[in-house]
Amino acid sequence: MISFIMMAYNVEDYIREAISELQKEDDIEWELIIIEDFSDDNTFDVTRNIAEYDNRIKLVKNLSKGKVIGTNYGYSLTKGDIIKCIDSDDILTQDYFREYEKMKNYDAHCHDSLIVNNTLEPMGTYNVNPIIINKSYEEVVNNLVSLPKAYWSFNRELADKIFPMPENLPFEDVWISLHIKKYAKSIYHINKPIYLYRQHQNQVFGGILNYEKTRVIFRANRLIKLIYIIENEQKYLIEGIENPFNSMKEYLYLQASTSSIKDIFNSRISFIKKMKLLLIIHMPFIAITITKLKWQLDKR
């Protein structure tokens, strides 16, 4: 059985679509655990009306507000042999279920996604960064390579290493990706976009193609906080790695301060990182084009 964990906060306009796509599946056994995170809109009522008529869906109120707390709680309620988080404003297509028999032979699984706008019109394809699969754990750590948590699924043995997540984590993606890379003996890449990753302004990070100044600063500060937590509280994740995060720290501090072109080029970070910062901070429209191009190159 597949257990889906779905956090739900102020998604009354989207969550019905996310659930209805799953409900089309009748061959593979699945359950959906929805954790309602004290929404200000009608998310709870909309979801309750759906769950009332489908015993595969379990709706609960979060223990206290927060995505990490809620995801931990959701995992504690799961029964499946494969665990997957889904964002409540996105859509996991039926193609995912067609991979179930293959997935059972791997510890973890990841997939590409179609980036869509608010009305599900395609904006581009997000292909899995091959570094997360092909490179060493040390390289993944030092460059903070990760995937959005909704792009992963994993077996229960691996899930027991991921959960419970520390409640002071600023977000979950890097935590989940690092644990998968550290502990998974095998990773299966579903090499097609089977997930619709919706972009809208209500997202915490502002959307994957959003390089607005305030969002850039926000994301950098979140990652700085994450590094601090790992270095000071979760040191086992970086044991045996020499000078972990060194280049990423300088990169993130430059990003958080929206540094000048001069400061960027005078920094000690690699030329590639310098060019990336230059685009993100000073040429955001070009950064969007380059990001889409990278997705296409990752596909090859």
Side-chain angles (χ1 to χ4, degrees), residues 165-214:
M165 298 181 286
E167 293 184 0
N168 61 343
L169 284 179
F171 59 100
E172 313 96 307
D173 297 348
V174 174
W175 175 266
I176 291 174
S177 292
L178 289 186
H179 278 77
I180 290 173
K181 185 61 180 178
K182 186 177 180 69
Y183 294 111
K185 297 182 180 65
S186 56
I187 298 175
Y188 173 44
H189 176 205
I190 302 170
N191 192 17
K192 52 187 173 182
I194 63 173
Y195 189 86
L196 306 186
Y197 190 30
R198 196 193 307 254
Q199 304 294 287
H200 56 87
Q201 287 300 312
N202 292 335
Q203 291 171 306
V204 173
F205 281 87
I208 201 167
L209 292 174
N210 189 336
Y211 295 112
E212 180 186 329
K213 182 177 179 180
T214 56

Side-chain angles (χ1 to χ4, degrees), residues 104-230:
K104 288 192 291 186
N105 297 319
Y106 294 82
D107 295 333
H109 336 94
C110 57
H111 53 72
D112 303 335
S113 74
L114 191 65
I115 310 299
V116 298
N117 66 12
N118 200 42
T119 57
L120 302 181
E121 296 173 346
M123 300 170 63
T125 302
Y126 184 114
N127 299 303
V128 168
N129 187 335
I131 290 176
I132 198 76
I133 299 174
N134 300 327
K135 298 297 183 179
S136 69
Y137 179 64
E138 182 172 0
E139 184 166 347
V140 169
V141 168
N142 284 331
N143 292 285
L144 277 181
V145 181
S146 69
L147 301 177
K149 70 177 186 298
Y151 290 25
W152 288 112
S153 53
F154 32 84
N155 63 24
R156 182 162 291 276
E157 181 180 357
L158 186 52
D160 284 338
K161 295 184 181 297
I162 295 170
F163 297 103
M165 298 181 286
E167 293 184 0
N168 61 343
L169 284 179
F171 59 100
E172 313 96 307
D173 297 348
V174 174
W175 175 266
I176 291 174
S177 292
L178 289 186
H179 278 77
I180 290 173
K181 185 61 180 178
K182 186 177 180 69
Y183 294 111
K185 297 182 180 65
S186 56
I187 298 175
Y188 173 44
H189 176 205
I190 302 170
N191 192 17
K192 52 187 173 182
I194 63 173
Y195 189 86
L196 306 186
Y197 190 30
R198 196 193 307 254
Q199 304 294 287
H200 56 87
Q201 287 300 312
N202 292 335
Q203 291 171 306
V204 173
F205 281 87
I208 201 167
L209 292 174
N210 189 336
Y211 295 112
E212 180 186 329
K213 182 177 179 180
T214 56
R215 297 293 187 175
V216 168
I217 295 171
F218 176 77
R219 288 194 286 258
N221 284 325
R222 283 288 188 99
L223 282 166
I224 290 168
K225 180 180 179 182
L226 178 79
I227 287 174
Y228 177 85
I229 291 170
I230 291 174

Side-chain angles (χ1 to χ4, degrees), residues 15 22 52-53 79 99 105 108 111 141 171 224 246 294:
I15 194 168
L22 295 179
E52 184 178 355
Y53 297 99
K79 301 175 183 176
E99 303 288 339
N105 297 319
H111 53 72
V141 168
F171 59 100
I224 290 168
N246 270 11
K294 181 182 182 301

